[in-house]
Amino acid sequence: MAYILNIETSTTNCSVSLSNKGETLVLKEDYGNGYSHAEKLHVYIEEVLEEAKMTADQLDAIAVSKGPGSYTGLRIGVSAAKGLAYALEKPLVSVSTLEALAHQVKAESGYIIPMLDARRLEVYSAIFDENYNLVRAIEAQVLDENSFEKELALGNVYFVGDGVEKTTKLISHKNAVFVENKLPSADQMSLLSFNKYKKSDIEDVAYFEPYYLKDFVAIKSKK
């Protein structure tokens, strides 16, 4: 058995799943009510375990979405995951947020580009092929009408994530496929966390930090 608790808080979707050998057994998430992670994350963790009729000490590992994404959301998720891993003496597994998001798309050919909104015309994005192999590493990039023109010239390109809305206003290529209303979810983490767990690809609980990609910038209140 390989029971893994998966935690995803990189966007407005507060998401928790319990998986076994890469398959999601129970999923709890809240897609549309803003950043409510501080209130809901631990409730979802308790509900997932209760529904599976398990206790926390029966888990084999804790997995967390490592980013990029919301600074505050990532800190909440990683803090909870590290706390559980330390208290339960279980290994901590980190999963790339964009890789998990890419797995929401099933493509026979072409490219999958998961993207998260990074304000204004900027997104966090990566490029994967149809088999989810990484083609271009994660970047913070400013979009324009020429973005991804090389990939679009070669065939279908599937854009997925909350950065899609701004992309639709800039890119009108015939090969662009916009997969809307999708956010990173702990559901797609199940297989990825299991694969890393099998290889003992784990993090140092004491020193692990989220992958922010950009430094946090505090904005002064206008009040």
Side-chain angles (χ1 to χ4, degrees):
M1 294 294 183
Y3 289 107
I4 300 178
L5 183 74
N6 301 282
I7 296 172
E8 163 57 66
T9 58
S10 65
T11 65
T12 54
N13 185 24
C14 182
S15 182
V16 178
S17 73
L18 177 68
S19 60
N20 181 32
K21 295 183 178 179
E23 293 188 8
T24 299
L25 303 178
V26 185
L27 175 68
K28 297 286 183 181
E29 59 185 359
D30 182 9
Y31 242 69
N33 291 314
Y35 288 98
S36 56
H37 308 337
E39 296 80 19
K40 295 188 176 180
L41 179 58
H42 289 283
V43 174
Y44 285 174
I45 291 171
E46 292 175 3
E47 290 180 348
V48 161
L49 291 171
E50 184 178 346
E51 188 169 329
K53 297 180 171 57
M54 288 182 61
T55 58
D57 61 340
Q58 292 176 287
L59 295 168
D60 293 292
I62 310 297
V64 66
S65 181
K66 67 179 180 180
S70 157
Y71 182 93
T72 303
L74 288 171
R75 286 212 70 82
I76 291 172
V78 168
S79 295
K82 290 174 68 171
L84 285 168
Y86 179 80
L88 299 169
E89 297 183 339
K90 304 294 183 180
L92 176 67
V93 177
S94 70
V95 173
S96 165
T97 302
L98 291 179
E99 183 178 4
L101 181 57
H103 278 257
Q104 294 198 31
V105 177
K106 308 296 182 186
E108 294 184 0
S109 62
Y111 295 100
I112 302 170
I113 301 182
M115 50 173 52
L116 297 177
D117 189 2
R119 297 183 180 179
R120 298 186 179 88
L121 292 179
E122 194 171 20
V123 294
Y124 303 128
S125 69
I127 303 177
F128 295 84
D129 67 16
E130 70 274 18
N131 297 313
Y132 309 111
N133 297 308
L134 186 64
V135 175
R136 197 214 70 196
I138 298 170
E139 293 181 5
Q141 65 181 119
V142 177
L143 297 174
D144 60 35
E145 62 273 12
N146 298 314
S147 297
F148 310 111
E149 59 182 357
K150 182 180 73 173
E151 291 78 18
L152 287 162
L154 296 175
N156 284 347
V157 176
Y158 299 83
F159 298 95
V160 60
D162 65 1
V164 165
E165 182 178 357
K166 63 180 64 175
T167 310
T168 61
K169 299 173 183 177
L170 292 168
I171 296 177
S172 58
H173 197 283
K174 64 178 183 179
N175 290 334
V177 181
F178 300 106
V179 183
E180 299 186 82
N181 302 316
K182 296 290 186 181
L183 292 174
S185 169
D187 192 8
Q188 284 72 40
M189 288 180 63
S190 297
L191 179 60
L192 299 176
S193 62
F194 176 60
N195 288 339
K196 295 189 76 172
Y197 173 75
K198 284 192 300 182
K199 297 185 291 185
S200 296
D201 186 356
I202 61 176
E203 304 293 345
D204 185 315
V205 175
Y207 295 102
F208 175 70
E209 291 291 335
Y211 178 49
Y212 297 118
L213 194 56
K214 293 198 304 182
D215 293 333
F216 174 68
V217 179
I219 299 175
K220 185 180 292 185
S221 173
K222 295 181 180 179
K223 293 183 179 179

